[in-house]
Amino acid sequence: MRELLSIVSAWGAFGIVAAILLAFSIFFTVYYSDRTERELFAMAITILALTLCLSTVALFPVDIFLVSRIMDPSTGLRREWATDEAIANMQMVVRIIYYVAYGLIASFCFFWIPLSYFYYEEIEEGQPIRQRLMAAFKYTAFFILIAVILLITGLFMKPNGDENKDLEWLRKMLADLDGTGAIAFVAGVLSLLGMGVLICYAAPGLSLLPMHLLGGSKSTAEKMTKTHAELAANRERQNAIMSRYQLGSNRQVSERDRHAITELQREEMVLDNRSRVVQSVRDGWMARCHCIVRPLEIVFGLLATILTFLLIMSIAVTTLDNLTEEVCGAPCGYIPTHLKLPNPLNLLFLELSPHFPVDYILMVMVILYLFWATTRGIISIGIRFLWVSLYRFRRAATQPQGLLAATMLLMLSLAGMCYSLTMSVAPDYSMFGSQKYCNYTLATERDCTDYPELIIPCHVGAPEDLCTPTVTSSIIVKIVLGTPALGIAFFYAEWMFLLTFLVALVFNLIRGCKYGFGVDPVHEDAEDVEDMESRRLLGDIEAINADGGRRRAGRRGLLIPGASYGSIQTAGLGTGPGATPMANSMGSNSSP
C-alpha cells in the first residue's frame, strides 16, 4: 500500500509540474512575442509545443522514480509486489505516454509549426482564410514528405546483429525491437538535430549565462550621455547642410547632400528611438529595485556557474569513459555500460534518488537551466541560417515567424536534451535509478544478508531478471542499437558540444574583459533599423541605393563618426508620410 501511494504521489507531482510548465510556456510566449504583431494561431502553437516538450522531458524523473521502487535496497532483491506482470503494466503506461508524446512532437515539428509559419507568411489584406490555408498546406507538404520518409526508413531499419553484443540486457533490447521502432527512429533523428541546436546555442549560452548574471546590468547613464551627444552632433550636421539652401535661394540640392541628409535623418530617428529606450530602462522597475535584484542575480550567477561546471564535467567524463568502452563500443553506438570514471552529477543523483522528490526537483532545475541557456544563446546569436541572420529573438519584439522558428529550435534542443541527460549527464541514474542488486549467489539463491557490501548499484551488465531499465533509456538504446550510426553521431556531437563550449567561453571571457561582463539592457530592448522598418516607423520612404551614398557622404565628413546604427541596407528620400519636413522641402527645391 505504501509503495502504491508513492507511485500515485509521483504521478501527482508530475501533474503539478506539467501545470507549472504550461503557465511558464504562456508567460514565455507572451514575454517574447511582438506586442504590435501578435498572431493568436502562432502563439497557441508555441505554447502547446513548449508545454509538450518540457512535460515530456519532465516525465523522465518520474520514469526513474518508478523503476527505483522495484528493488529493496536493504536486500538487493525485488519487492514483493514487483512481479514481472506488475512491472510490465507499470512501464506500459509510461511507454504509451512517451510514444504519444514523441508522436505529437513529430507532428509539431513536421506539420503544425510549418503550417502556422507559412500561414502567417501568406497574410495579405483582404485574402480569405481558406486561400491562406491552402497556400500554407502547399509548403507544409514538403515537411510531411520528410516525416513519411523517416517513418518508412524506421520501419525497414534492421538492427545490427554484431556478435559483440554479448550482454543479456543488450540482447533483450534487440529482441524488443518492433514496429514502434519507426517512431523511435524519428525521435532519434529529431534528437540528433536537437544536438545540433545544443551545439550552436546551448553551449555558447552555458558559457555566457553565468557571466551575465554575475556581471549584472550595465549602467544607462553613460549610454544616455553618449546618445544625446550623437543626437546633437547629428542635428548640427543637418543644420549645416540646410544652411546652404536658405528659403528663397534658387540653389539646387546636390546629389551628395541629398544622400547625406537622408542618412542623417534616418540616423536621427534611430537615435531618438534609442534615447526613448534608455529613458524607459532607466525609469523601469528593474532599475528602481536594483538593490534588491542585484543580490539575487549574484546568487543565481554562482549557482549557474556551479551547475555549468557540473554539466560540462559530467559530459566530459562520460564521453572520455566511452573511449575506453570494452564491451561493445562503436558497434553498439557507444552505449555506456559501466562507468569507470566518477561522474559528479551521476553520483549526486544516485545519492538523492531515495529521497523523492528532491532528485525530481533537481532534474527539473537542470532541464530548465539548459532551456534557459539555449534561450540565452538564441537571444545573443539570433536565429540564423549559416551566416545569414533571419530573425532576432527579443523581449516583446519577436515577430511571429521568429517566435515559431525559435520554438522549433527549442523543441529540437529538448529532444536532444533527452539523449544527453540519459547517456552523458547521468547515465547510471538515468538507466536504473537507485536500484541495487545482490551480487552474491549461494546454491542458485541470492542472499546478501551476511554480505551487505555485495549489494551494488545496477548497471548494464547486471542480471536482467533483477535490474529493470527505465523506459527512457530503453527507447534511446533501441534507437542506438537499431541504428548504430546515430549513436556514433551522438558521440561525436558530444565532443563538438564540449569544444564549442570551450571556444565560446574563451571568446566571452576576452570580450567581457574588453567590454564588460554585464548585460546591456538597451541592447536587449532597443530596435534596430530593420525592426523600425518592419513596424513602418520609417514610413514610405522611396528606396534607393544607400550604401554608395553613405560611403560618399562619409568620405566627405558629412556623417557622424561611429554611429552604431548607421549602417543600413536601404535608404530613400521622398515625400511619403515617413519623410521629415526638411526632406520634403528639399525635394521640392530640387530639379527633376
Side-chain angles (χ1 to χ4, degrees):
M1 187 65 181
R2 182 180 177 183
E3 294 300 325
L4 179 61
L5 289 175
S6 64
I7 293 175
V8 172
S9 66
W11 285 111
F14 172 73
I16 294 173
V17 170
I20 294 174
L21 292 176
L22 173 61
F24 170 79
S25 300
I26 295 173
F27 169 78
F28 181 88
T29 304
V30 174
Y31 184 80
Y32 283 105
S33 62
D34 192 338
R35 294 172 181 170
T36 61
E37 291 187 67
R38 282 180 176 167
E39 175 73 22
L40 293 180
F41 185 39
M43 292 180 66
I45 293 296
T46 300
I47 292 170
L48 293 176
L50 291 179
T51 304
L52 173 64
C53 266
L54 289 171
S55 299
T56 303
V57 182
L59 181 62
F60 181 39
V62 176
D63 185 16
I64 295 171
F65 173 80
L66 293 178
V67 298
S68 297
R69 300 302 99 189
I70 294 175
M71 301 292 289
D72 187 347
S74 61
T75 63
L77 302 174
R78 286 185 176 181
R79 300 181 190 272
E80 293 182 2
W81 66 268
T83 62
D84 290 341
E85 183 180 0
I87 295 173
N89 292 334
M90 180 182 68
Q91 290 204 308
M92 179 58 67
V93 175
V94 180
R95 186 173 286 106
I96 291 174
I97 294 176
Y98 263 123
Y99 279 122
V100 171
Y102 282 133
L104 290 175
I105 289 172
S107 71
F108 273 96
C109 289
F110 293 110
F111 181 75
W112 290 110
I113 292 179
L115 178 67
S116 57
Y117 180 92
F118 293 117
Y119 179 79
Y120 185 81
E121 282 286 307
E122 292 296 320
I123 187 171
E124 292 182 8
E125 188 175 353
Q127 186 180 24
I129 295 179
R130 182 179 178 182
Q131 187 176 351
R132 289 175 61 186
L133 281 174
M134 293 302 295
F137 273 119
K138 180 177 63 176
Y139 296 113
T140 308
F142 174 75
F143 292 88
I144 298 176
L145 178 62
I146 294 176
V148 171
I149 292 174
L150 291 177
L151 283 172
I152 295 176
T153 304
L155 284 173
F156 290 96
M157 187 67 65
K158 298 297 182 181
N160 188 348
D162 194 281
E163 60 182 8
N164 290 330
K165 299 184 180 69
D166 54 358
L167 289 178
E168 182 181 3
W169 188 68
L170 294 181
R171 287 200 302 269
K172 185 177 184 297
M173 289 293 104
L174 280 174
D176 288 343
L177 284 170
D178 49 23
T180 57
I183 299 178
F185 178 75
V186 174
V189 173
L190 293 178
S191 298
L192 185 59
L193 293 175
M195 286 301 301
V197 177
L198 292 177
I199 292 170
C200 296
Y201 291 105
L206 283 174
S207 67
L208 193 62
L209 187 55
M211 296 182 189
H212 282 178
L213 289 173
L214 292 173
S217 298
K218 297 179 181 178
S219 175
T220 58
E222 182 179 353
K223 179 75 69 173
M224 177 67 79
T225 303
K226 182 180 178 181
T227 302
H228 285 170
E230 291 180 352
L231 195 55
N234 179 288
R235 288 168 178 167
E236 286 180 5
R237 292 183 182 277
Q238 289 192 55
N239 292 333
I241 297 176
M242 288 178 62
S243 63
R244 305 173 191 171
Y245 307 97
Q246 298 290 340
L247 292 177
S249 173
N250 293 327
R251 185 181 178 184
Q252 296 181 349
V253 181
S254 65
E255 189 66 20
R256 179 195 68 179
D257 288 345
R258 176 186 291 275
H259 282 292
I261 203 65
T262 301
E263 293 291 340
L264 288 171
Q265 288 171 348
R266 294 168 69 87
E267 288 181 359
E268 181 184 13
M269 297 179 69
V270 175
L271 290 171
D272 275 333
N273 179 70
R274 190 194 307 174
S275 178
R276 289 192 298 270
V277 171
V278 174
Q279 185 70 32
S280 64
V281 170
R282 190 178 65 177
D283 298 337
W285 67 271
M286 284 288 290
R288 296 178 181 178
C289 301
H290 180 74
C291 59
I292 300 176
V293 174
R294 185 65 190 130
L296 295 177
E297 284 183 336
I298 296 176
V299 172
F300 284 125
L302 293 174
L303 293 176
T305 303
I306 296 172
L307 189 53
T308 297
F309 175 77
L310 291 176
L311 282 169
I312 297 301
M313 282 297 299
S314 299
I315 295 174
V317 165
T318 305
T319 309
L320 285 172
D321 211 329
N322 286 337
L323 287 176
T324 60
E325 179 60 54
E326 299 175 355
V327 176
C328 192
C332 294
Y334 290 104
I335 296 173
T337 56
H338 191 71
L339 295 179
K340 296 178 283 293
L341 300 176
N343 182 321
L345 274 179
N346 187 60
L347 296 175
L348 179 60
F349 277 115
L350 288 176
E351 289 295 325
L352 294 177
S353 58
H355 309 289
F356 184 86
V358 179
D359 60 327
Y360 189 93
I361 295 173
L362 180 59
M363 179 59 73
V364 172
M365 288 176 58
V366 171
I367 293 169
L368 290 179
Y369 179 68
L370 287 171
F371 182 86
W372 189 9
T374 307
T375 304
R376 171 52 59 181
I378 294 175
I379 292 173
S380 301
I381 300 174
I383 301 172
R384 297 173 176 269
F385 179 74
L386 299 178
W387 60 87
V388 180
S389 179
L390 301 178
Y391 303 103
R392 289 169 177 81
F393 196 71
R394 293 179 180 174
R395 180 177 68 86
T398 307
Q399 298 176 358
Q401 304 99 311
L403 191 65
L404 291 167
T407 303
M408 177 73 83
L409 293 176
L410 291 171
M411 284 189 69
L412 292 175
S413 71
L414 289 169
M417 204 181 297
C418 287
Y419 175 88
S420 188
L421 290 173
T422 305
M423 294 295 170
S424 298
V425 175
D428 287 340
Y429 170 78
S430 302
M431 288 187 179
F432 299 100
S434 60
Q435 295 179 83
K436 294 182 179 181
Y437 75 100
C438 176
N439 196 29
Y440 178 74
T441 304
L442 180 62
T444 68
E445 290 188 4
R446 295 182 182 272
D447 187 0
C448 290
T449 304
D450 299 328
Y451 305 97
E453 67 276 4
L454 294 180
I455 300 177
I456 61 176
C458 288
H459 53 84
V460 173
E464 182 269 333
D465 60 332
L466 288 177
C467 295
T468 305
T470 60
V471 175
T472 308
S473 63
S474 299
I475 293 174
I476 293 177
V477 169
K478 284 182 182 180
I479 295 171
V480 175
L481 289 179
T483 316
L486 282 178
I488 297 173
F490 278 122
F491 175 74
Y492 287 107
E494 297 285 5
W495 281 111
M496 285 297 299
F497 180 86
L498 295 172
L499 179 62
T500 305
F501 172 81
L502 291 176
V503 172
L505 180 63
V506 173
F507 173 80
N508 289 324
L509 285 173
I510 296 174
R511 190 173 184 274
C513 292
K514 185 175 181 180
Y515 299 106
F517 292 99
V519 181
D520 187 353
V522 177
H523 175 73
E524 292 289 309
D525 295 331
E527 297 175 297
D528 58 13
V529 173
E530 292 181 5
D531 294 329
M532 294 176 68
E533 286 179 337
S534 67
R535 290 160 179 76
R536 304 185 184 278
L537 295 180
L538 295 181
D540 299 325
I541 301 177
E542 181 182 349
I544 63 172
N545 184 4
D547 289 339
R550 177 172 173 78
R551 286 194 295 269
R552 289 192 299 269
R555 287 196 297 268
R556 292 170 174 79
L558 293 173
L559 298 184
I560 55 176
S564 59
Y565 285 84
S567 180
I568 55 179
Q569 298 299 320
T570 59
L573 184 62
T575 59
T580 62
M582 188 186 72
N584 290 332
S585 63
M586 290 183 62
S588 61
N589 290 335
S590 59
S591 59

